[in-house]
Amino acid sequence: MIVLSTEKNASAPLVSILMGSASDAEIMEPARQILKEFDIPCEAKVLSAHRTPEQTMQYVKSAKERGTKVFIAGAGGAAHLPGVVAAYTTLPVIGVPIKSKSLNGMDSLLSIVQMPAGIPVATVAIDGASNAGLLAIAMLALSNAELSKKLDAYRIKMQEKVLKSSV
Ligand code: RP5
């Protein structure tokens, strides 16, 4: 398991994966999977910027104290969750726009990507949960040499797979 040097509790989730609805769970699952592959403790929670604003605020405000280093937040439609999370923490926040039924996720993408200056959210592609996980790993790897090596090995493996797939 990856443990950062500042960690008080070795099993504390380093990455918090939030989503606005249980209906987002399937799309957000690749973030959890890639973190698992890299042996990074994470936790996933359904919290909504609109439906559970108080609980969202309380959870985010208390996360740093519990050892969280990075947030991944996925939401669809009027997708305010990543921005609201970023409003309550200075920890890095990665937003995942979820593909919506009515506007194919363009609403989610624009809601998440167009943050006003001062409160950043790093936005990945529509339904890009896997890249959100990898970006969180890259952030953690800045202060963890073991993780950095694992990330290099992951890239090499990916290169080899692509080269082998040539037709
Ligand atoms: C957002 O509204 C969620 O992130 C979800 O993508 C979307 C629809 O939610 P449900 O109506 O399926 O609960 O808050």
Side-chain angles (χ1 to χ4, degrees):
M1 183 189 297
I2 294 294
V3 180
L4 296 189
S5 51
T6 52
E7 232 21 70
K8 284 172 242 162
N9 172 5
S11 61
L14 296 176
V15 180
S16 173
I17 303 173
L18 302 181
M19 59 202 89
S21 167
S23 66
D24 299 327
E26 198 181 328
I27 298 300
M28 294 304 288
E29 185 55 24
R32 200 211 307 249
Q33 283 306 318
I34 196 84
L35 290 162
K36 197 175 166 199
E37 198 178 320
F38 279 78
D39 218 8
I40 295 171
C42 67
E43 70 179 359
K45 270 193 171 300
V46 174
L47 280 170
S48 163
H50 308 109
R51 293 166 176 159
T52 63
E54 284 290 328
Q55 292 86 347
T56 301
M57 176 189 72
Q58 280 162 17
Y59 174 81
V60 174
K61 280 185 163 183
S62 62
K64 201 172 188 174
E65 185 70 12
R66 285 181 281 111
T68 304
K69 302 291 181 208
V70 184
F71 281 98
I72 294 174
H80 297 126
L81 183 64
V84 165
V85 171
Y88 288 118
T89 185
T90 52
L91 292 170
V93 179
I94 304 166
V96 183
I98 306 279
K99 189 171 180 174
S100 55
K101 283 186 204 123
S102 328
L103 296 170
N104 274 331
M106 281 307 290
D107 43 355
S108 324
L109 173 64
L110 297 179
S111 300
I112 294 175
V113 81
Q114 290 291 25
M115 286 297 292
I119 308 292
V121 168
T123 309
V124 294
I126 295 171
D127 288 354
S130 178
N131 267 357
L134 282 166
L135 189 53
I137 292 164
M139 289 171 180
L140 296 173
L142 288 171
S143 56
N144 187 292
E146 183 193 343
L147 199 49
S148 185
K149 272 188 204 156
K150 274 188 171 182
L151 208 43
D152 287 341
Y154 177 86
R155 286 282 176 100
I156 290 167
K157 215 169 133 188
M158 190 170 60
Q159 282 167 18
E160 287 169 355
K161 200 173 160 193
V162 171
L163 293 172
K164 268 189 204 156
S165 69
S166 296
V167 285

